[in-house]
Amino acid sequence: MKAGKVWGTTELIHANGAMEFHRIDIEPHTYCSKHKHSFKWNGFYVVSGALQILVWKNNYDLVDSTILYPGEFTAVAPGEYHQFKALEETLAFELYWAEFNHNDIQRESVGGKQ
């Protein structure tokens, strides 16, 4: 399904219970909202153009800026505010995925024997 955005268009190519794969066509000098995802990673792969990815880091007071050119990829961790900006007309693929973490447990007790 293709959908219009203020910055261009997004098209869902594939989705299942673990990931989403989108094509994004971004008009020059436009940007998406500053936002975050609570549980999923957000990855960007540029096919043509130039895309700036801004990430407001949680563990220090800084905004990371990465500029991607054709053939380059970056990922934003869950819980980090981020935004993309097209420096020129850009075609990219956007991916979302959840990552299984085997340490994802919070114990209230240690268990035992009765």
Side-chain angles (χ1 to χ4, degrees), residues 33 49 80 85 94:
S33 64
E80 292 186 325
K85 296 181 179 185
E94 185 175 23

Side-chain angles (χ1 to χ4, degrees), residues 5 10 12-13 28 45 59 62 66 82 90-91:
K5 298 281 192 173
T10 182
L12 176 62
I13 295 172
Y45 177 85
N59 52 354
L62 187 66
T66 302
H82 58 283
T90 300
L91 168 61

